[in-house]
Amino acid sequence: MEHKNQVFDNVLDLVGNTPLIKLNKITSECSCEFFAKVEAFNPGHSSKDRIALYIIEQAEKQGILKPGDTIIETTSGNTGFSLAMVSVIKGYDCILAVSSKSSADKIDMLKTMGAKVYVCPANVSADDPRSYYQVAKRLHDEIKGSVYINQYFNQLNIDAHYNSTGPEIWKQTEGKITHLVACSGTGGTISGTAKYLKEKNPNIKIIGVDAFGSVLKKYHETKEFDEKEIYPYRIEGLGKNLIPAATDFDIIDEFVKVTDEASAHTAREIAKTEGMFVGYTSGAAMQAVKQLEADGKFSKNDMVVVIFPDHGSRYMSKVYSDKWMNEQGFFDSVNVEAAQTIQYIK
Ligand code: PMP
């Protein structure tokens, strides 16, 4: 939104229109140009601001939401934070059922924004009554005047990105984008953005990023939901143990899987090379770019856009904690002393 003198009515006016920033050093050995769509510039510091605002405004337009009503969602943290932020401004109650895998910082941030939080076990199946899906459903049934956002199964999640992220990237690249690399969790970001971009130019390649331990890549390739693919992993917000209806698998050309360890190191590398303090899945997306580059998937005149979904501050107790990295064994293969930049003067 254009505003005179950069003065805004409230924080929601700042949702979307995030910058596209050229990557320079991390891609210096690479074959073509790479740009990051840096979603941390949203007021809630992630791409989820877009869907929170869009879905709530659609519900208001349809007369489903009235002031004082309750917004309920299952969330790995970011969607919850964005919904809580929109609820504060618009006067709704916000209840969030989150996975116990979410970082402590993320859960504290939700509380700071006034949300009521239920922390549910991460490693139970989606139909277990303790899972965050079932807890959210139960609360929705129990609370009158509540709306369940249900981002994994809500077409509006795709529409939000079709109406904002897609057009922004098309305009920012002046239609020159050749590849989009985006993490897939609910699939809303990649599906909506891809739909818009492919309508403009069907030759644009859409590459989804998935985690080892998630079913998405195999489902895309075989249309088979293979439970044997599922095991616990550490990256939050990427990959899934079910098939989300908010993912348009047909629009995605290929999926790349990335490991927890490589993604963590790449997230740290983005900060050190590009001065961008971004989240774990940004590291995952960049790691996928590296793997694609190594496989010779890009050529000289390509323009690759990679989406960095959120801000690094959410991961201080994880990826950006040396203690946590060490506990995961992620430092086993690197020279920790050489990487050490803190010196304690005694
Ligand atoms: N990164 C992070 C940090 C997220 O929270 C999410 C959302 N689950 C994603 C990436 C993936 O975005 P989407 O749900 O639109 O696929």
Side-chain angles (χ1 to χ4, degrees):
M1 218 175 275
E2 290 283 325
H3 275 77
K4 207 174 160 217
N5 300 331
Q6 292 281 297
V7 177
F8 302 90
D9 287 340
N10 59 57
V11 288
L12 302 184
D13 281 352
L14 287 154
V15 173
N17 289 314
T18 54
L20 191 70
I21 306 178
K22 189 167 188 287
L23 297 170
N24 296 297
K25 292 183 188 155
I26 198 165
T27 49
S28 59
E29 311 275 290
C30 297
S31 48
C32 61
E33 282 195 319
F34 295 84
F35 290 86
K37 181 78 169 153
V38 187
E39 291 292 290
F41 281 87
N42 281 297
H45 302 154
S46 89
S47 55
K48 295 295 181 178
D49 282 3
R50 298 174 186 271
I51 71 160
L53 185 60
Y54 186 82
I55 295 175
I56 288 176
E57 287 191 336
Q58 291 301 311
E60 287 171 339
K61 276 184 198 154
Q62 290 165 24
I64 301 168
L65 264 178
K66 304 175 298 307
D69 278 352
T70 302
I71 289 163
I72 298 179
E73 183 53 328
T74 51
T75 169
S76 67
N78 281 329
T79 306
F81 189 79
S82 300
L83 287 169
M85 181 184 79
V86 177
S87 299
V88 165
I89 303 296
K90 288 179 172 282
Y92 302 117
D93 288 335
C94 185
I95 294 183
L96 304 166
V98 311
S99 154
S100 57
K101 205 167 79 169
S102 303
S103 62
D105 330 346
K106 276 190 179 176
I107 293 169
D108 284 344
M109 285 167 71
L110 301 177
K111 290 192 300 190
T112 304
M113 275 284 170
K116 189 166 184 193
V117 184
Y118 291 77
V119 182
C120 309
N123 299 324
V124 297
S125 71
D127 52 10
D128 187 297
R130 295 164 298 163
S131 79
Y132 53 94
Y133 307 106
Q134 300 305 329
V135 169
K137 266 193 210 152
R138 178 174 58 77
L139 292 168
H140 175 45
D141 290 344
E142 285 171 9
I143 299 169
K144 275 215 183 89
S146 67
V147 170
Y148 180 23
I149 300 291
N150 203 6
Q151 59 172 338
Y152 284 92
F153 296 92
N154 193 336
Q155 171 66 33
L156 296 175
N157 177 357
I158 297 184
D159 296 351
H161 292 284
Y162 175 80
N163 285 303
S164 65
T165 323
E168 287 171 29
I169 292 175
W170 181 254
K171 200 166 152 211
Q172 286 168 316
T173 61
E174 296 171 336
K176 293 191 194 112
I177 173 174
T178 58
H179 298 73
L180 175 75
V181 180
C183 294
S184 207
T186 65
T189 307
I190 192 166
S191 306
T193 307
K195 184 170 175 231
Y196 184 90
L197 293 174
K198 286 225 181 188
E199 275 173 17
K200 289 289 180 186
N201 174 4
N203 295 325
I204 296 171
K205 288 270 168 298
I206 308 296
I207 298 141
V209 184
D210 190 18
F212 286 99
S214 152
V215 298
L216 300 179
K217 184 178 198 292
K218 178 143 189 202
Y219 182 77
H220 179 252
E221 286 162 8
T222 63
K223 286 276 172 284
E224 183 201 343
F225 173 75
D226 185 357
E227 281 192 350
K228 291 198 290 293
E229 291 282 296
I230 302 171
Y231 57 86
Y233 56 90
R234 298 174 189 87
I235 312 176
E236 296 161 39
L238 165 64
K240 212 58 219 166
N241 57 357
L242 51 74
I243 306 300
T247 307
D248 178 355
F249 284 89
D250 293 337
I251 215 159
I252 299 165
D253 291 290
E254 130 177 44
F255 271 97
V256 174
K257 280 204 177 196
V258 291
T259 65
D260 289 335
E261 181 169 359
S263 302
H265 285 296
T266 302
R268 287 171 158 240
E269 190 188 347
I270 296 168
K272 293 220 168 76
T273 51
E274 304 293 334
M276 294 181 198
F277 187 37
V278 289
Y280 202 170
T281 54
S282 303
M286 197 61 220
Q287 177 58 28
V289 166
K290 285 183 177 192
Q291 290 170 206
L292 290 159
E293 170 71 26
D295 289 347
K297 294 279 171 113
F298 304 127
S299 43
K300 199 167 159 266
N301 296 321
D302 286 345
M303 184 189 280
V304 181
V305 172
V306 50
I307 297 184
F308 286 173
D310 72 353
H311 195 265
S313 57
R314 277 171 199 184
Y315 306 89
M316 286 312 296
S317 59
K318 293 201 170 173
V319 178
Y320 297 111
S321 152
D322 285 354
K323 184 171 172 279
W324 184 85
M325 290 288 280
N326 217 2
E327 281 163 8
Q328 313 309 311
F330 291 173
F331 279 156
D332 292 357
S333 56
V334 296
N335 181 346
V336 182
E337 257 162 41
Q340 186 61 268
T341 51
I342 305 178
Q343 286 183 37
Y344 296 95
I345 311 290
K346 292 189 179 144

